[in-house]
């Protein structure tokens, strides 16, 4: 489903949906109220939803749904980014966006949809995986490093650094990072909301930031991490939610 109160923006999303082979347009709506009425009678797998709309904005619309579909938010206002991730949005598209950005969001939707279901039912292994994935109280992950598989507490992770095809996972409790063969994308998907991608090469634990100085984050006296241009708006939106003062 595509939802946007601006006709041209709605037309663009509909056109992009038509260019992605695995997407099929179920409905297009010019307001969240209209979309909500549709969902009372029918279901969809995913929605591309504008946030800043009259009567009922996109964020409140999604929060009002008892069982919301997968959501990709679209908006011209970057300050909504952090709030969008809080409602477990699959992705966030900042207007104006192109087909490549839209395709990226569509691929993420596809990955979520295909993550568990095989032939319309869950395998035994997938059922167990879902059971443990739903347990948000579990603060651990396992990483393969050299010839070992080590248990890591997520709250112990200070930041993650990309190094070609490998990742360096920097911990509070260990002087040396864990080096593992893993993509940033996989790590980013697994980490909870208090972790944020600030650069193509860095994911940081927001709870462990000591200082923000211009375009870099200071983790400690010896660790300065750059904020990439692609990630500035999202990180600034996070800061705005925490900042006290003029």
């Amino acid at each position: 489903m595509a939802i946007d109160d601006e006709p041209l923006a709605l037309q663009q999303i509909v056109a992009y949906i038509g260019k992605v082979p695995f997407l099929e347009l179920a409905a297009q709506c010019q307001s969240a109220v209209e979309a909500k009425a549709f969902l009372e009678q029918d279901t969809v797998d995913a929605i591309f939803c504008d946030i800043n709309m009259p009567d009922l904005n996109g964020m409140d619309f999604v929060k009002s749904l008892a069982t919301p579909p997968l959501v990709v938010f679209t908006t011209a206002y970057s300050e909504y980014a952090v709030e969008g991730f809080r409602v477990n949005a699959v992705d966030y598209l900042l207007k104006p966006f192109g087909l490549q950005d839209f395709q990226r969001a569509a691929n993420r939707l596809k990955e979520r949809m295909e993550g568990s279901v095989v032939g319309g039912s869950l395998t035994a292994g997938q059922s167990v995986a879902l059971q443990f994935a739903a347990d948000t109280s579990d603060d651990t992950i396992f990483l393969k490093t050299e010839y070992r598989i080590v248990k890591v507490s997520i709250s112990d992770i200070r930041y993650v650094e990309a190094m070609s095809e490998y990742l360096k996972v920097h911990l509070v409790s260990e002087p040396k990072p864990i080096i593992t063969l893993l993509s940033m994308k996989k790590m980013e998907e697994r980490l909870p909301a208090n972790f944020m991608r600030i650069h193509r090469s860095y994911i940081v634990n927001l709870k462990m930031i000591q200082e923000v100085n211009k375009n870099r984050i200071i983790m400690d006296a010896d660790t300065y991490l750059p904020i990439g241009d692609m990630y500035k708006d999202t990180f600034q939106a996070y800061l705005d939610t925490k900042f006290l003062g003029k």
Side-chain angles (χ1 to χ4, degrees), residues 117-189:
V117 180
V118 177
S121 62
L122 295 179
T123 66
Q126 288 167 338
S127 180
V128 171
L130 280 179
Q131 177 182 345
F132 282 99
D135 182 8
T136 56
S137 64
D138 186 1
D139 183 47
T140 59
I141 56 174
F142 286 85
L143 298 175
K144 186 174 183 180
T145 177
E146 297 177 340
Y147 301 103
R148 302 176 298 135
I149 296 178
V150 297
K151 182 179 179 180
V152 176
S153 173
I154 292 175
S155 59
D156 192 31
I157 299 174
R158 297 176 65 227
Y159 66 97
V160 179
E161 178 182 3
M163 184 180 65
S164 186
E165 296 179 346
Y166 292 82
L167 297 182
K168 285 184 178 181
V169 182
H170 298 262
L171 305 176
V172 175
S173 61
E174 298 289 339
K176 292 184 178 180
I178 293 173
I179 299 177
T180 183
L181 180 61
L182 192 67
S183 71
M184 285 288 273
K185 182 180 179 182
K186 287 289 185 184
M187 180 62 82
E188 189 176 10
E189 289 174 349

Side-chain angles (χ1 to χ4, degrees), residues 28-96:
Q28 51 180 303
C29 303
Q30 286 192 273
S31 73
V33 174
E34 181 185 348
K36 193 167 185 177
F38 178 90
L39 291 177
E40 288 174 355
Q41 305 296 326
D42 209 336
T43 60
V44 298
D45 295 318
I47 59 176
F48 289 86
C49 184
D50 186 29
I51 294 178
N52 193 31
M53 294 186 288
D55 298 328
L56 179 63
N57 71 48
M59 200 74 66
D60 291 337
F61 160 65
V62 172
K63 290 177 181 177
S64 73
L65 299 176
T67 54
L70 298 177
V71 180
V72 174
F73 282 119
T74 65
T75 183
Y77 302 93
S78 61
E79 62 265 26
Y80 287 116
V82 171
E83 190 178 354
F85 291 126
R86 282 178 182 160
V87 296
N88 200 28
V90 174
D91 208 346
Y92 176 95
L93 292 172
L94 186 63
K95 297 177 181 180

